[in-house]
Amino acid sequence: MRSIGWIVWLTVVVASTALAGGEDQYTAERQRMLREIVAMAADTAAETGRAQLDERVIAALARVPRHRFVPAGLTHEAYANRPLPIGYGQTISQPYIVALMTDLLRLKPGERALEIGTGSGYQAAVLAELGVRTYSIEIIEPLARQAAANLKAAGYPQVQLRVGDGYYGWPEAAPFDAIIVTAAASHVPPPLVRQLKAGGRMVIPVGAAFMTQQLLLVEKHPDGRLSTRQILPVRFVPLTGGPSR
Ligand code: SAH
């Protein structure tokens, strides 16, 4: 009886150590990715106005297991500072762009954020890691299903997901302190502006599909006035849907 108990205990210890080791194998890669992000932020400071990203954003990226959000065959590239294909012609964004867009939103824990373009779920996980109440909409159903599985496996089951056309936002969950659009739009969708709180921030790439777009920071001031600042040229997959469909 006693020896069986001992064997069970030993098995549990060995198994949990192996599991922890499995996660640890990515720690060094994640740190390298973060160093590249910090260096790139410094290099682009003249354009973005952000020489140093918020350390809470860096800390969030240090905790989110990006390897759980890329297709199984690409886990060895999960921490490269570039976009990767996730199927259906879509991509998980470059980590530096994820960091920059998150930084620009100036989020505080407990705030509400809406993401358009769930993709892999990685950006949503970064928002959730910041303690933000996160809602995300994806138009391609199988991607939304995969993102739901990724988020659950990575420990972010609280993220609210919906399949649909994000151009129209999520009126039932509005208003939001922040909106992040992770696909290139031809213009800033008016429904999203309406769903932004006074004092809210939106980041969105705007420009022609399959070309370079401008990453915009749109702010709704406490008096309701809008201001827009161009941050950086970027390349995103197109936002589909919207009224022209
Ligand atoms: N943020 C994602 C990457 C997004 S790639 C991540 O962290 O992995 C852009 C995504 O936007 C794609 O998955 C695409 O299917 C989705 N998309 C495009 N148009 C959309 C729309 N109108 N509404 C919701 N999602 C849309």
Side-chain angles (χ1 to χ4, degrees):
M1 227 22 222
R2 280 188 74 177
S3 66
I4 288 178
W6 169 249
I7 287 166
V8 168
W9 179 80
L10 198 64
T11 310
V12 169
V13 168
V14 169
S16 55
T17 310
L19 269 179
E23 287 291 314
D24 275 350
Q25 101 188 56
Y26 293 103
T27 307
E29 289 186 50
R30 219 159 22 236
Q31 291 302 324
R32 184 170 47 78
M33 178 188 87
L34 290 172
R35 284 196 296 277
E36 283 181 34
I37 291 172
V38 167
M40 208 172 228
D43 286 349
T44 50
E47 286 170 281
T48 64
R50 302 288 301 152
Q52 278 180 339
L53 304 181
D54 185 343
E55 58 189 37
R56 289 176 313 123
V57 171
I58 299 292
L61 268 93
R63 286 192 296 268
V64 177
R66 187 171 162 93
H67 59 279
R68 291 196 183 274
F69 293 89
V70 303
L74 291 177
T75 44
H76 61 290
E77 293 187 72
Y79 294 98
N81 186 24
R82 57 186 158 82
L84 292 171
I86 55 170
Y88 302 89
Q90 308 305 320
T91 53
I92 175 172
S93 306
Q94 180 187 12
Y96 159 70
I97 292 292
V98 172
L100 176 65
M101 289 173 86
T102 309
D103 177 87
L104 289 167
L105 293 175
R106 302 193 306 273
L107 286 156
K108 294 192 211 69
E111 284 194 325
R112 303 166 64 78
L114 173 66
E115 177 191 26
I116 310 304
T118 316
S120 66
Y122 178 70
Q123 172 72 68
V126 171
L127 297 174
E129 188 63 59
L130 284 165
V132 169
R133 294 168 66 184
T134 306
Y135 296 78
S136 185
I137 308 176
E138 171 56 53
I139 205 163
I140 299 177
E141 208 207 321
L143 281 181
R145 247 186 284 126
Q146 182 64 52
N150 293 347
L151 284 161
K152 226 173 172 179
Y156 306 98
Q158 71 274 34
V159 173
Q160 300 287 309
L161 299 176
R162 169 184 272 193
V163 178
D165 184 354
Y167 181 94
Y168 299 100
W170 194 325
E172 303 87 342
F176 299 98
D177 299 283
I179 298 180
I180 177 167
V181 182
T182 64
S186 62
H187 59 275
V188 180
L192 297 184
V193 174
R194 281 196 291 277
Q195 291 173 34
L196 199 58
K197 271 187 198 170
R201 296 80 58 196
M202 176 177 355
V203 282
I204 177 170
V206 172
F210 306 110
M211 296 182 68
T212 299
Q213 303 97 29
Q214 273 295 330
L215 184 63
L216 302 185
L217 173 63
V218 180
E219 298 195 55
K220 193 187 261 189
H221 295 276
D223 60 3
R225 190 176 50 88
L226 287 182
S227 68
T228 300
R229 188 156 72 86
Q230 290 196 5
I231 304 294
L232 198 70
V234 287
R235 271 187 104 112
F236 275 83
V237 294
L239 185 77
T240 57
S244 57
R245 232 176 154 208

